[in-house]
Amino acid sequence: MAAKPGLVIVGACHAGVQLAVSAREAGWQEPITLIGEEEALPYQRPPLSKEFLLGKMPEESLPLRAEAFYEGHGIDLRLGSRARAIDRAAKRLSLEDGTRLDYAKLALTTGARVRRLSLPGAEAEGVFYLRSLADSQALAAAAESAGSVAVVGGGFIGLEIAAALASLGKQVTVLEAAERLMGRAVGPEVSDFYAKQHRARGVAVKLACALDRIELDAKGRVAGVVTSDGRIEADLLVIGVGVLPNGELAAEAGLDCPNGIAVDRCARTADPDIFAAGDCALHPNAWAGGGDGGMIRLESVQNAADQARAAAANLTGGETPYESVPWFWTNQFDLKMQMVGLSGGHDRRVLRGSPEEAKFSVFYFKGERLLAIDSINRPADHIAGRKLLTADLSPSPDQAADPDFALKSLVNN
Ligand SMILES: Cc1cc2nc3c(=O)[nH]c(=O)nc-3n(C[C@H](O)[C@H](O)[C@H](O)COP(=O)(O)OP(=O)(O)OC[C@H]3O[C@@H](n4cnc5c(N)ncnc54)[C@H](O)[C@@H]3O)c2cc1C
């Protein structure tokens, strides 16, 4: 048991590491213990479906911080260690190995896990999900000898994996149940552009296509899939159909956990000594609900880092709200999309630039108010968009549509 109860953080990735770092920066003097169930030194997750999967980023470049950093900042990093239960009355956390840790403050940064399919064959050899370093390494190793790959799910991760494996020379088929790609996050112009770009690079994109059955060979390995569109040969099947928040620890301790751990704008749960941040946290966000605000769970590095910063600032009774404008990115082939704001609830879309030249942005408006911008290979629009949305400024739809209009002039005025 720690000599003195300090800050205990469960989950050692983008949110957990940032929370530990920011707590120290904010002057937290007591012990900090960071518990992570994975064995690897806390690492960046985004490259796992991009540069790392492509073999363009070595494993040594993945860690968020060097090992010495934790020691140097008095952060007791305990890897390969899983938290099992919270005793809120005693302010004590139990780990799977029987260790018990008393805490003054507890932060839950437990993230999310992949949603698994319940179809027969969904756990067979040759079926992959991608969340962890180990998942990415296993997929990369299996892909070496594979000729064909079926990817279930045309969201960000499914498409990034499809792009990486197609770039490595695999015959890739993407199966998307909805009518368009990335449909929950982007407008039809962006979906159609990506479908075209993937197809132009040899990826078979099947929309409105349901996975009916997984076929296995005599050895029980994946051999293909049967879809609403027919049969597809596949040596590997990759499933990217979303994630579920890891909220069980909180729920079992009696905290509200409808779709993630409910927190207020200061990243506090209903228990004043327990905070939550990152993919696991259901939080009030001013950008949700078409800009009117609402409870939302976001799955992005920006959200994990900024919400963790707010949590750290509030450990000792602060009132710093988490109110950063959301942003996100996805890299597929040579296409870099940057997104800022949340487009849900928009009633008008304005195109700026040229999809034919693979350089354009889509501006999402509700009435005259700008809600979000998706920029493909137009980083200046994204940067201006972050400033505009942070300052709650909107270009008019005509200004947004005019590629010669300097968006940043609105911010500088
Ligand atoms: C392949 C991939 C690509 C991505 N690409 C992008 C991108 O391009 N841009 C972007 O913004 N975001 C991207 N994301 C999303 C981004 O990585 C997540 O939003 C971010 O990792 C969230 O950080 P987190 O710390 O909240 O949760 P996580 O990263 O999920 O970390 C939570 C950690 O807690 C651990 N844990 C859970 N329960 C326990 C327990 N009981 N005891 C101990 N440890 C526990 C988990 O093992 C995990 O290590 C990507 C994600 C993936 C998987």
Side-chain angles (χ1 to χ4, degrees), residues 47 50-59 61 167-168 333-334:
K50 310 179 183 73
E51 304 88 339
F52 182 74
L53 187 59
L54 275 162
K56 289 184 176 167
M57 187 182 197
E59 190 177 339
S61 301
S167 301
L168 293 171
F333 302 108
D334 54 347

Side-chain angles (χ1 to χ4, degrees), residues 10-16 35-38 45-46 48-50 81-83 109-112 130-131 157 160 246 249 277-280 299-302 304 327-330:
V10 182
C13 195
H14 289 278
I35 311 284
E37 69 180 322
E38 295 186 65
R45 246 173 246 289
L48 300 180
S49 50
K50 310 179 183 73
S81 182
R82 186 173 163 78
T109 50
T110 45
L130 179 45
R131 182 75 194 175
I157 290 186
E160 288 179 358
N246 291 322
L249 264 183
D279 279 17
C280 68
E299 294 156 13
S300 69
V301 168
Q302 170 278 318
W327 56 266
F328 187 79
W329 77 95
T330 176

Side-chain angles (χ1 to χ4, degrees), residues 287 325 340-341 370-373 384-393:
W287 311 93
V325 61
V340 60
L370 179 67
L371 294 183
I373 309 175
R386 278 207 217 178
K387 291 180 182 156
L388 287 169
L389 288 166
T390 301
D392 201 12
L393 290 170

Side-chain angles (χ1 to χ4, degrees), residues 48-296:
L48 300 180
S49 50
K50 310 179 183 73
E51 304 88 339
F52 182 74
L53 187 59
L54 275 162
K56 289 184 176 167
M57 187 182 197
E59 190 177 339
E60 307 83 80
S61 301
L62 288 176
L64 288 161
R65 304 276 176 167
E67 199 165 0
F69 175 89
Y70 298 96
E71 227 181 281
H73 287 74
I75 299 166
D76 178 9
L77 179 60
R78 300 197 192 178
L79 297 174
S81 182
R82 186 173 163 78
R84 190 183 57 202
I86 305 165
D87 179 341
R88 284 171 54 198
K91 294 180 62 170
R92 183 171 296 153
L93 179 78
S94 329
L95 308 185
E96 293 282 1
D97 67 4
T99 307
R100 286 184 298 167
L101 292 170
D102 289 343
Y103 62 81
K105 299 289 171 186
L106 178 67
L108 301 174
T109 50
T110 45
R113 61 182 179 275
V114 292
R115 190 188 290 275
R116 303 188 88 85
L117 288 187
S118 54
L119 275 182
E123 302 296 329
E125 196 184 334
V127 179
F128 293 85
Y129 294 83
L130 179 45
R131 182 75 194 175
S132 66
L133 172 59
D135 294 340
S136 185
Q137 286 169 323
L139 175 58
E144 274 179 27
S145 56
S148 54
V149 183
V151 177
V152 179
F156 295 117
I157 290 186
L159 290 176
E160 288 179 358
I161 294 169
L165 296 182
S167 301
L168 293 171
K170 314 299 163 191
Q171 175 52 56
V172 180
T173 305
V174 173
L175 312 175
E176 168 54 53
E179 301 278 338
R180 59 187 185 87
L181 298 176
M182 303 178 284
R184 280 190 308 142
V186 302
E189 298 80 5
V190 177
S191 299
D192 295 351
F193 171 81
Y194 273 88
K196 229 176 178 172
Q197 294 289 331
H198 274 262
R199 285 176 177 140
R201 291 165 171 88
V203 176
V205 177
K206 295 189 177 290
L207 301 172
C209 178
L211 172 66
D212 290 338
R213 205 151 46 80
I214 299 169
E215 286 190 346
L216 306 181
D217 66 14
K219 291 185 178 155
R221 282 187 40 95
V222 168
V225 289
V226 178
T227 76
S228 53
D229 242 16
R231 181 180 186 279
I232 295 159
E233 192 100 10
D235 301 327
L236 301 181
L237 175 60
V238 185
I239 299 171
V241 294
V243 297
L244 300 170
N246 291 322
E248 290 75 6
L249 264 183
E252 284 160 18
L255 294 169
D256 194 24
C257 210
N259 162 32
I261 306 167
V263 293
D264 66 11
R265 54 207 288 274
C266 294
R268 290 177 297 232
T269 67
D271 182 327
D273 295 319
I274 305 183
F275 293 72
D279 279 17
C280 68
L282 179 70
H283 65 274
N285 192 302
W287 311 93
D292 293 334
M295 296 294 280
I296 198 168

